[in-house]
């Protein structure tokens, strides 16, 4: 079974940022990734999400210092930051084409044995992994957090026919 020592989250919207806050609340370093912003700072979207966590009420962070465990990044320049992550969570818009495109990038950058999950509540797992490698399918599941993650302590986990038991047993 893999110990979760570092997590990556793709999607710095309300859900992704909230999940990042909850991971940080557990004392685990987290990389928060989003699309590259235009202008001088391509990680501005993820950085803005971390800033918003400090202002949101009710507070997603148990302590403001937990924001220091969140490292912002962007998909175009920072995929290498996920190479040492044990759990990679996708929490982007509910579009199958965008999710599958992101999964291809994740598959190229992730370490062996890492778990990849989607926070989707609408797209079937079989559709999400269609066309992906056997390695990807073996480590993939749905881990659907409820919003806001800190206050609704409910996590729905859905394994697929290809998901290896060690992936589910880790969550």
């Amino acid at each position: 079974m893999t110990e979760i020592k570092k997590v990556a989250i793709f999607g710095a919207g309300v859900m992704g940022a909230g999940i990042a806050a909850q991971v940080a609340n557990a004392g685990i370093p987290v990389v928060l990734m989003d699309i590259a912003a235009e202008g001088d700072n391509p990680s501005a979207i993820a950085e803005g999400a971390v800033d918003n966590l400090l202002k949101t009420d009710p507070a997603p962070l148990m302590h403001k210092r937990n924001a220091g465990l969140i490292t912002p990044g962007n998909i175009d320049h920072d995929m290498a930051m996920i190479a040492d992550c044990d759990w990679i969570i996708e929490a982007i818009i509910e579009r199958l084409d965008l999710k599958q495109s992101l999964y291809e990038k994740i598959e190229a950058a992730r370490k062996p044995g890492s778990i990849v999950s989607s926070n989707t509540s609408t797209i079937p797992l079989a559709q999400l992994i269609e066309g992906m490698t056997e390695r990807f399918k073996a480590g993939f599941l749905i881990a659907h957090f409820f919003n806001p993650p800190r206050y609704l302590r409910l996590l729905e986990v859905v394994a697929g026919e290809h998901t290896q038991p060690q992936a589910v047993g880790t969550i």
Side-chain angles (χ1 to χ4, degrees):
M1 182 177 338
T2 303
E3 182 180 350
I4 306 294
K5 295 179 183 174
K6 187 174 179 185
V7 174
I9 299 170
F10 286 85
V14 171
M15 226 24 241
I19 296 167
Q22 194 61 353
V23 171
N25 287 337
I28 298 171
V30 58
V31 176
L32 180 60
M33 305 278 272
D34 210 300
I35 59 173
E38 294 182 16
D40 295 337
N41 182 3
S43 297
I45 296 170
E47 288 176 10
V50 175
D51 290 343
N52 286 337
L53 290 173
L54 296 167
K55 301 177 215 170
T56 302
D57 187 28
L61 293 164
M62 292 179 182
H63 305 285
K64 290 185 184 240
R65 70 178 174 268
N66 292 350
L69 290 169
I70 304 172
T71 302
N74 70 84
I75 295 168
D76 289 349
H77 303 99
D78 300 319
M79 288 301 287
M81 291 195 314
I82 74 165
D84 62 344
C85 291
D86 304 299
W87 186 12
I88 301 161
I89 302 168
E90 168 270 304
I92 67 169
I93 189 168
E94 292 291 279
R95 279 193 38 199
L96 181 60
D97 60 327
L98 296 179
K99 289 177 184 293
Q100 289 178 330
S101 175
L102 176 60
Y103 296 160
E104 290 173 5
K105 293 174 184 172
I106 289 171
E107 178 64 356
R110 74 185 186 111
K111 71 177 184 178
S114 61
I115 300 159
V116 180
S117 67
S118 176
N119 188 58
T120 189
S121 62
T122 62
I123 302 173
L125 188 145
Q127 288 181 12
L128 292 169
I129 61 171
E130 190 173 307
M132 298 303 298
T133 66
E134 290 305 313
R135 179 182 97 125
F136 187 87
K137 292 176 182 179
F140 187 84
L141 51 92
I142 292 174
H144 177 229
F145 292 80
F146 288 71
N147 193 23
R150 179 177 175 198
Y151 298 98
L152 290 179
R153 298 177 185 179
L154 182 58
L155 174 64
E156 174 186 34
V157 177
V158 180
E161 67 177 274
H162 301 281
T163 308
Q164 295 298 306
Q166 62 269 23
V168 179
T170 304
I171 301 295

